[in-house]
Amino acid sequence: MFQSPLQVLCHKLKRLRGAIQAWNKEVFGDIFQVVTQKEAEVWLAEIRMESDESEEPRVNLHLAQAQLRVPLWVEELFWKQKAHVKWLKEGERNTKFFYSVVKHRRVQSVIHKIKNERGEWVESEEEIGAEAVRFFEKLFTAQHPTSSPGLLQNILKILTDEDNVLLKQVPAKEEICRVMFEMDGESTPGPTGYTGKFFTAAWSIIGEDVVRAVCSFFCGAELPRAVTATSIVLIPKIAHP
């Protein structure tokens, strides 16, 4: 069965995500449990050194401290990614700070109650979810859309016909590469979870697939479901919704 370059790229990224998840589970495991275990090993090494003044306990303590640094670094990276904080680059370990940011974001994102179409307030998590589903199902299955094609006549024309022709041209490989490397390394361009840094770091492997996918789009290839799919998220507009 023929697959367009866009479908090929999406299929490869989907397969890679499963492999990364398995690798994460096998190599890193529960990072918080690892930190707790290594901290306990450091604590035991300190106790042994207090009762034994020979060289071996001191060496074991340094070794335990060194082995603790890696899981601490991994834990900090985890909370940094969760917090989406980009301006804090240097300094001591910021795990508590990142965790507090994540916790605050979660508290702000909680919707405590919502008004249904009858004007009644519903407060349980199940009722809020059901009401949101009903609202968007009704919105996206409306038989009489409110917009009118005639409204486009009132929009000021800014681009010339030459500009439109230029925008429709298939981009060169160098232009695609430049745009990819100008992406924010910490942000994800879609719900797949792959950040800009992933594409730049793996460009020697995935670059040709990305270039072919982009070019096929400009040639009229149909966008696969993996690209057009999205998530509907209710974003609170006040501090405590």
Side-chain angles (χ1 to χ4, degrees):
M1 180 179 178
F2 172 77
Q3 286 186 318
S4 69
L6 271 167
Q7 291 173 320
V8 171
L9 177 62
C10 293
H11 181 65
K12 288 184 176 181
L13 291 176
K14 183 179 179 180
R15 290 183 57 190
L16 177 62
R17 185 166 56 179
I20 290 177
Q21 289 172 343
W23 171 77
N24 177 61
K25 184 176 180 181
E26 295 169 2
V27 176
F28 288 100
D30 187 338
I31 58 175
F32 307 109
Q33 183 179 354
V34 173
V35 169
T36 302
Q37 177 186 341
K38 294 301 180 182
E39 286 177 339
E41 292 177 2
V42 170
W43 179 70
L44 290 174
E46 290 175 344
I47 293 178
R48 294 192 184 106
M49 194 182 73
E50 289 177 358
S51 59
D52 188 348
E53 297 182 356
S54 63
E55 186 66 22
E56 183 178 357
R58 186 179 299 275
V59 172
N60 290 336
L61 174 60
H62 291 322
L63 178 61
Q65 291 173 336
Q67 291 175 342
L68 174 62
R69 292 192 187 100
V70 174
L72 286 176
W73 174 71
V74 172
E75 182 189 35
E76 183 175 6
L77 283 180
F78 173 84
W79 287 117
K80 180 181 178 182
Q81 291 175 353
K82 286 286 186 181
H84 300 291
V85 175
K86 303 172 186 177
W87 52 265
L88 193 55
K89 299 294 183 183
E90 304 294 342
E92 298 180 355
R93 292 184 64 245
N94 301 294
T95 306
K96 290 183 178 180
F97 168 74
F98 290 134
Y99 175 73
S100 65
V101 172
V102 174
K103 186 176 180 181
H104 180 65
R105 285 164 59 95
R106 288 176 178 171
V107 170
Q108 281 193 319
S109 299
V110 174
I111 296 178
H112 300 285
K113 61 181 179 179
I114 194 171
K115 188 178 290 187
N116 61 23
E117 58 184 7
R118 297 185 299 274
E120 302 168 345
W121 289 103
V122 292
E123 299 185 11
S124 71
E125 185 175 338
E126 293 78 11
E127 290 177 320
I128 291 175
E131 188 60 35
V133 170
R134 281 194 295 269
F135 173 81
F136 285 105
E137 281 183 345
K138 183 178 179 180
L139 177 66
F140 292 126
T141 57
Q143 299 298 320
H144 304 287
T146 56
S147 61
S148 172
L151 294 176
L152 296 177
Q153 305 286 340
N154 301 318
I155 298 178
L156 181 65
K157 184 177 179 180
I158 299 177
L159 296 177
T160 65
D161 293 336
E162 291 76 13
D163 291 331
N164 278 325
V165 172
L166 181 63
L167 290 172
K168 293 178 182 178
Q169 289 182 356
V170 178
K173 178 180 179 180
E174 294 74 19
E175 182 181 0
I176 298 172
C177 179
R178 175 177 56 80
V179 171
M180 293 297 295
F181 275 77
E182 288 177 354
M183 287 175 54
D184 186 344
E186 301 296 333
S187 298
T188 58
T192 60
Y194 291 106
T195 63
K197 188 177 293 184
F198 162 80
F199 287 99
T200 55
W203 188 252
S204 61
I205 301 173
I206 201 173
E208 290 298 326
D209 287 304
V210 173
V211 170
R212 284 193 292 266
V214 173
C215 291
S216 69
F217 167 76
F218 279 87
C219 292
E222 182 179 354
L223 292 175
R225 185 178 179 85
V227 174
T228 59
T230 186
S231 300
I232 299 175
V233 181
L234 301 179
I235 302 178
K237 294 180 174 61
I238 58 177
H240 301 286

